[in-house]
Amino acid sequence: MLLELKGITKLFDKDNGVRDFNLTVSEGEFITLLGPSGCGKTTTLNLIGGFLQPDRGEIRIKGRDITHLPPEKRPVSTVFQSYALFPHLNVLENVAYGIRFYRKEKKKQALSLAREYINIVRLEGYEKSKVGNLSGGQQQRVALARAMATNPRILLLDEPLSNLDASLRHSLREELKSLQRQLGITMIFVTHDQSEALSLSDRIVVMDKGYAIQIGTPREIYFYPISDYVAGFIGKSNILTRVGETIMVRPEDIKMAKNAQGDYTISSIVFMGQHTEYIISAENTTLEVVVVGKENNNFMQGDRVNVTISHQLGQMGNEDISLVPELK
Amino acid sequence: MQCPGNMTLLKNKIIWKGRGNKSPLSFDVLIDRIMLFLVVGSLLLFILYPIFMVISTSVYRHGVFSLDNYRDLLSPGNLKLIKNSLFVSTLSSVLGTFLALCIALYTFLQKERIGALIYRLLMTTLISPPFVSALALIMLFGRRGLITYNLLGLSVNPYGWQGIVLLQTLGLISLAAIMLISALNAIDKRLLLASRDLGASALQTLHRVILPSIYPAILSVLFLLFTINMADFGTPIIIGGKFKVLATEAYMTIFSAADLGKAAAMSVLLIPPAIIAFYFYRKNLEKNNSLADGVKALGGEGLDFRLPLFIRIALGTITGLFFFLMLLKYGNIFLSAVTINVSGKLTFTWKHIEAFQFAYLPAVYRSLSMAVIAGILASVIGILLSYYTHRRQLPLMKPIEFIASLPYIIPGIFFGLGYIVGFNNHPLLLTGTTAILVLNCTFRHISVGNKAANAAFENLDRRLEMAARDLGASPVRILTTVIFPLLKSTFLLSFINTFTACMTTVGAIIFLVSPRNVVASVLMFKDITNGHYGLGAVVASVLIIVTVAVNLAAIKYLGREGGKPYVA
């Protein structure tokens, strides 16, 4: 195991902090901490980075206890939210900073090593630029290069893509993933964006109110969420009860068929391009349904439909759905 | 992205920072501790200890605890002095605050560029050695005054309480107006719009919104002026004639009677108004802070806010008159430096400048080096204090920071006296050295750099320091490679404030100088009290020119760095 967090607790007050957090990370893994703001994900990252001391528990890297090491002595580096680039230094000096102080290289050697990392993130030609004059995407690359330049065992990333606009976020996400694959860097990534988590991670830690609710691969988290909270946070979901058990059904797993005597009425249609979202309701039941493709052209608001649900427990028809407690 | 061949290094062995882990006291940590110790230790020794010594001196007589010093203050003669002090200080503080408020309102309601110009002029008039107003008054309106005697043929007697009130009022208007303008600028402009929108006229808005908003600031200014005027011994000595006040008596007691116990008791009496001023100042700050979370992006531009014409004319006249008097003052100083007024005729002369060159250059040089050293020390200590208090949030630093702010609020005469009684014996024998002047000036002004650094730290992302640590920098390295480079403009700001104050101060250091370590401002004060007005004018001119030059250089540098030329 590269990194082990054992029973980490850090409470700021009754409601804020991290409680009894356990996680093991292997070499080369990409782990995402996912949750809403205030769930403790950045706190967890800061505990690993050494900026906070846990109240209880221990942190080990390669079996060695680093719980009480200060940040400047830990073999981890952080890419901070909003990057925290030094505004009085240029790109090259920013990247060389950690090489000088962490790797204790001489200034000249540090600057030449820094150039290599600047090349990796494709910022050749910007070495002498003031960081304040760079675009958001370029700043993000500088932050990445600066953090990687210390040769960290683990790279910690605190919502690194959240300050970028949508299309840039998308392309940088791809780059980050391929960089991680090629260099084999272990990364721990904090985000509140479910699509980032699903697309980037080897494993996702879903957090809420300081607790790690579920740890698993993106597929496990998406298809087999252990609670309605997890199901609701990642994607849309219908929570149904069938013969005494509560199950979660994703909207895309529900098939609609037009039927003049159908049990459900389409009460709302939102066209999203790639797919269309429907809300359909029966007497005391409301379901969310997603349909992909041109088939959508068949449905109009007010149409009556019947549904079939493909679920790992078997097919369900209208009659199987006894109760729908709430729509998530 | 490409993966270059040498990138296998990312899978290298972990670089453990071996040596540092074992001993908690690495070299850098040691340096950090030493700096903290020096900051805290120096503040205790050079601020708290002298203050304590003044109070202790005031309650001991011949080595025995007694309140005789205070009882003597209530003798009929002293009561008369206290009454005089209260009368003069109250009158000049109220007048000064009122006139400053008029100027501040006028500035606030101008278009941005005119407002900025007035603000800059006010800043310039802050650079004024003390008592040059008195000098100007005597030379222009005195018995042989340029205007009263030469032009109008009158022989007016300027000496007496009226002269004191006039000079104290005029002397502090710039400072008061600058403080009030800052308070006015802190008002959320949307409040004014909302008030107009809800049907109030401009005058009603002034009455119901603007004035209530800056009420704590007005009180703070009022008590600050009161404190300064109560402690002002120079103006009454020069212009008071037979009219004596408490501060003058304290000054005389130290110099001629050398009765330090009595002087200490007198200066303790000056403390309560200072504390009240400080209380309102803090209250005002808190209020501004609690309001500061709203957006204040909406500037004065485009905001239609016109007071009735007669008020605008009144405010404008007061502002104009003030600057006219300032022009007269500075003009007279420069003129007096190169002229001599013989039997009603003004004649050009090199006499004063020659006399100055002959005897005063070492003192000017000493002033300059004292102000430079004090400026640097005060700024560094102020920034470090702010760093340890608010950035590192070390325990017990808040009270230390409060101690650092004390010399700024207590009268200079009190602080000077503290150094006399505190450092006249082994092992702390500093009397008569240049060091005691530098220390006094330095620790008098820690507060300026400290406050400026606090404001700068508020705007500095904590993650910058986290990033630096993450990248392997020790706390000391973070100071040298991140904090100080980023606080360059804060440093400079604090430096010019302290520099200016030290170049022109008399109050605190006059008791600390001897012929061995005399500085220019004190020489000027002695010249004026001895009637050598021409020579005094030369010293004043030199002090003004040097200080303005340094200020301009600093502002220019700040402008190039992209920092604000001043923090109001």
Side-chain angles (χ1 to χ4, degrees):
Chain A
M1 274 309 124
L2 177 62
L3 172 73
E4 291 168 89
L5 303 178
K6 291 184 188 163
I8 296 289
T9 297
K10 171 76 188 177
L11 291 178
F12 299 108
D13 54 54
K14 200 160 65 61
D15 299 318
N16 288 299
V18 173
R19 297 154 199 270
D20 194 28
F21 191 93
N22 292 290
L23 178 69
T24 53
V25 179
S26 342
E27 196 91 45
E29 252 195 309
F30 194 117
I31 302 278
T32 298
L33 306 179
L34 176 69
S37 56
C39 73
K41 51 193 193 310
T42 298
T43 304
T44 310
L45 209 67
N46 284 338
L47 285 162
I48 302 171
F51 306 114
L52 292 172
Q53 281 289 310
D55 304 333
R56 277 193 299 282
E58 58 175 31
I59 303 172
R60 287 173 176 278
I61 288 188
K62 281 274 172 189
R64 174 167 178 172
D65 188 353
I66 62 156
T67 318
H68 301 293
L69 275 192
E72 62 265 32
K73 303 216 162 90
R74 295 189 182 203
V76 299
S77 278
T78 307
V79 175
F80 291 89
Q81 190 174 13
S82 66
Y83 320 130
L85 298 176
F86 303 122
H88 57 300
L89 303 179
N90 64 27
V91 170
L92 189 62
E93 290 163 339
N94 260 285
V95 177
Y97 193 94
I99 307 178
R100 280 189 68 193
F101 295 120
Y102 190 83
R103 287 164 63 174
K104 305 258 190 278
E105 297 286 357
K106 291 270 181 305
K107 189 169 183 182
K108 213 174 154 194
Q109 173 72 1
L111 290 177
S112 93
L113 282 171
R115 281 177 204 281
E116 293 179 15
Y117 290 92
I118 289 174
N119 292 347
I120 294 175
V121 297
R122 300 193 321 212
L123 279 176
E124 304 93 332
Y126 290 97
E127 287 88 350
K128 301 285 178 207
S129 304
K130 282 255 167 200
V131 292
N133 298 337
L134 300 179
S135 70
Q138 289 168 329
Q139 292 188 0
Q140 209 271 341
R141 288 157 194 262
V142 178
L144 198 60
R146 186 180 70 175
M148 289 197 309
T150 58
N151 276 353
R153 273 344 275 279
I154 305 172
L155 197 59
L156 308 174
L157 302 109
D158 189 2
E159 309 224 6
L161 305 176
S162 62
N163 289 348
L164 307 171
D165 61 54
S167 63
L168 195 57
R169 195 155 62 217
H170 220 83
S171 67
L172 273 170
R173 191 200 286 176
E174 309 272 294
E175 284 187 30
L176 191 64
K177 185 65 189 171
S178 76
L179 195 70
Q180 194 256 340
R181 260 194 224 110
Q182 288 174 30
L183 305 178
I185 316 169
T186 310
M187 292 191 183
I188 301 181
F189 185 94
V190 159
T191 186
H192 58 260
D193 183 319
Q194 42 147 325
S195 62
E196 270 173 22
L198 291 171
S199 60
L200 285 169
S201 320
D202 295 317
R203 283 190 297 152
I204 297 174
V205 181
V206 183
M207 297 187 66
D208 183 34
K209 300 197 177 84
Y211 291 102
I213 306 284
Q214 185 175 7
I215 302 179
T217 64
R219 283 161 202 279
E220 284 168 350
I221 299 280
Y222 189 78
F223 292 121
Y224 310 105
I226 62 159
S227 73
D228 56 343
Y229 170 78
V230 177
F233 197 76
I234 301 208
K236 299 195 162 169
S237 60
N238 298 294
I239 306 294
L240 315 175
T241 306
R242 189 184 69 161
V243 239
E245 61 173 353
T246 309
I247 56 170
M248 183 281 300
V249 174
R250 295 288 180 195
E252 65 270 21
D253 288 336
I254 303 179
K255 293 266 176 293
M256 297 193 297
K258 255 178 131 168
N259 185 329
Q261 274 74 51
D263 298 335
Y264 291 86
T265 313
I266 296 179
S267 52
S268 133
I269 302 180
V270 180
F271 179 65
M272 303 287 285
Q274 277 187 334
H275 65 269
T276 304
E277 299 170 0
Y278 297 86
I279 292 174
I280 59 176
S281 43
E283 263 169 51
N284 50 7
T285 319
T286 308
L287 286 179
E288 194 158 348
V289 181
V290 164
V291 177
V292 183
K294 294 210 175 91
E295 175 189 349
N296 282 305
N297 293 335
N298 300 332
F299 300 110
M300 308 283 283
Q301 194 157 340
D303 283 356
R304 295 191 77 88
V305 292
N306 271 330
V307 299
T308 2
I309 295 172
S310 51
H311 186 259
Q312 70 265 28
L313 301 174
Q315 291 279 315
M316 297 194 293
N318 291 344
E319 68 283 2
D320 293 326
I321 304 165
S322 56
L323 179 75
V324 179
E326 59 187 312
L327 179 78
K328 285 272 169 170
Chain B
M1 285 185 197
Q2 295 299 309
C3 177
N6 61 354
M7 282 317 293
T8 45
L9 57 87
L10 284 172
K11 287 185 169 174
N12 277 2
K13 282 193 188 133
I14 300 174
I15 308 171
W16 294 106
K17 303 281 118 193
R19 265 159 287 150
N21 302 335
K22 299 210 175 68
S23 78
L25 274 183
S26 68
F27 180 66
D28 272 2
V29 175
L30 199 64
I31 300 244
D32 187 57
R33 296 278 155 82
I34 290 173
M35 281 197 317
L36 176 64
F37 175 78
L38 283 179
V39 168
V40 174
S42 66
L43 292 175
L44 292 179
L45 181 60
F46 295 112
I47 294 180
L48 195 60
Y49 166 70
I51 290 176
F52 170 78
M53 284 305 286
V54 175
I55 296 169
S56 122
T57 306
S58 75
V59 292
Y60 278 93
R61 185 172 272 190
H62 311 303
V64 196
F65 180 84
S66 92
L67 291 175
D68 287 356
N69 288 323
Y70 288 96
R71 201 168 303 134
D72 290 354
L73 284 185
L74 300 177
S75 69
N78 269 320
L79 279 180
K80 172 84 178 142
L81 289 180
I82 293 175
K83 234 164 75 187
N84 281 351
S85 272
L86 287 175
F87 168 68
V88 167
S89 304
T90 309
L91 200 57
S92 21
S93 315
V94 170
L95 273 173
T97 307
F98 173 75
L99 294 175
L101 182 62
C102 292
I103 295 174
L105 277 174
Y106 184 74
T107 312
F108 178 64
L109 297 175
Q110 292 310 304
K111 291 207 180 67
E112 201 147 323
R113 285 181 56 188
I114 301 176
L117 179 71
I118 299 180
Y119 191 89
R120 280 190 183 228
L121 284 175
L122 285 170
M123 292 291 281
T124 315
T125 56
L126 270 188
I127 303 171
S128 160
F131 322 123
V132 293
S133 315
L135 189 61
L137 180 69
I138 293 170
M139 303 200 72
L140 291 175
F141 300 100
R143 285 211 181 86
R144 290 283 175 271
L146 212 53
I147 291 175
T148 40
Y149 184 75
N150 289 27
L151 286 180
L152 306 172
L154 302 169
S155 177
V156 178
N157 179 8
Y159 303 96
W161 66 263
Q162 297 90 338
I164 304 177
V165 171
L166 179 68
L167 289 179
Q168 288 186 339
T169 304
L170 282 177
L172 292 173
I173 283 182
S174 302
L175 177 68
I178 285 171
M179 287 177 70
L180 290 173
I181 290 172
S182 307
L184 285 168
N185 283 334
I187 298 176
D188 189 340
K189 301 290 180 300
R190 292 171 307 177
L191 291 180
L192 308 188
L193 293 184
S195 166
R196 298 301 300 277
D197 189 47
L198 295 169
S201 69
L203 196 57
Q204 284 167 324
T205 304
L206 175 70
H207 181 60
R208 297 285 165 101
V209 179
I210 298 182
L211 290 181
S213 300
I214 61 165
Y215 188 59
I218 294 175
L219 284 178
S220 166
V221 165
L222 183 65
F223 279 96
L224 179 73
L225 298 201
F226 185 77
T227 308
I228 298 177
N229 288 333
M230 278 292 277
D232 175 18
F233 57 84
T235 310
I237 286 179
I238 296 172
I239 205 80
K242 291 198 192 72
F243 192 84
K244 295 266 185 298
V245 297
L246 189 66
T248 322
E249 188 63 19
Y251 169 80
M252 294 299 186
T253 312
I254 296 170
F255 266 107
S256 21
D259 184 349
L260 294 180
K262 187 178 168 197
M266 284 176 167
S267 48
V268 169
L269 271 196
L270 299 173
I271 293 291
I275 291 176
I276 298 174
F278 186 67
Y279 169 76
F280 283 112
Y281 166 75
R282 289 293 288 261
K283 206 170 152 188
N284 189 36
L285 266 188
E286 281 163 23
K287 192 174 168 197
N288 283 346
N289 284 345
S290 66
L291 287 174
D293 48 352
V295 194
K296 270 179 289 184
L298 206 61
E301 68 288 344
L303 174 64
D304 181 36
F305 194 87
R306 276 161 181 267
L307 291 173
L309 187 65
F310 72 94
I311 293 190
R312 273 186 285 153
I313 290 178
L315 295 181
T317 311
I318 289 171
T319 309
L321 206 59
F322 172 72
F323 281 111
F324 174 70
L325 287 174
M326 287 295 118
L327 199 68
L328 219 53
K329 174 176 116 179
Y330 285 99
N332 169 70
I333 298 299
F334 293 128
L335 189 68
S336 310
V338 291
T339 55
I340 188 163
N341 195 357
V342 194
S343 54
K345 268 183 74 182
L346 206 60
T347 335
F348 179 82
T349 176
W350 287 108
K351 203 181 78 177
H352 309 311
I353 294 179
E354 275 161 13
F356 171 84
Q357 271 180 322
F358 181 66
Y360 283 39
L361 279 181
V364 171
Y365 178 70
R366 195 175 291 114
S367 276
L368 201 59
S369 34
M370 175 185 85
V372 168
I373 297 172
I376 293 172
L377 281 180
S379 309
V380 170
I381 297 175
I383 290 174
L384 282 176
L385 176 65
S386 172
Y387 170 72
Y388 284 118
T389 312
H390 299 282
R391 224 43 178 187
R392 297 273 291 276
Q393 298 183 321
L394 299 181
L396 293 180
M397 286 307 285
K398 283 256 163 88
I400 299 285
E401 192 180 41
F402 175 73
I403 289 171
S405 70
L406 285 175
Y408 202 65
I409 49 180
I410 60 177
I413 193 169
F414 186 112
F415 201 55
L417 189 59
Y419 273 58
I420 300 182
V421 293
F423 302 111
N424 63 354
N425 262 318
H426 287 292
L428 294 169
L429 182 60
L430 293 171
T431 318
T433 60
T434 307
I436 198 171
L437 299 183
V438 172
L439 288 168
N440 187 281
C441 276
T442 302
F443 288 94
R444 185 106 199 268
H445 298 104
I446 300 287
S447 194
V448 181
N450 181 234
K451 295 266 161 24
N454 286 351
F457 275 127
E458 292 269 310
N459 296 322
L460 204 61
D461 191 347
R462 264 172 201 282
R463 279 178 289 226
L464 287 175
E465 284 146 83
M466 285 166 74
R469 288 200 80 183
D470 192 46
L471 297 167
S474 64
V476 178
R477 284 280 190 191
I478 295 176
L479 270 179
T480 55
T481 60
V482 179
I483 305 269
F484 275 122
L486 286 175
L487 293 191
K488 223 189 292 173
S489 57
T490 307
F491 176 87
L492 212 55
L493 187 82
S494 154
F495 174 80
I496 53 172
N497 272 311
T498 309
F499 176 85
T500 305
C502 292
M503 281 299 278
T504 56
T505 186
V506 167
I509 59 170
I510 191 162
F511 310 109
L512 307 174
V513 299
S514 62
R516 267 203 302 154
N517 65 353
V518 73
V519 292
S521 55
V522 173
L523 279 181
M524 185 191 80
F525 175 66
K526 298 222 159 121
D527 279 332
I528 299 174
T529 45
N530 292 334
H532 303 147
Y533 298 141
L535 197 49
V538 178
V539 184
S541 307
V542 170
L543 285 176
I544 292 170
I545 291 168
V546 170
T547 314
V548 168
V550 170
N551 272 265
L552 285 180
I555 287 170
K556 193 151 186 221
Y557 180 78
L558 279 176
R560 213 180 58 208
E561 289 282 300
K564 286 187 215 155
Y566 46 77
V567 169

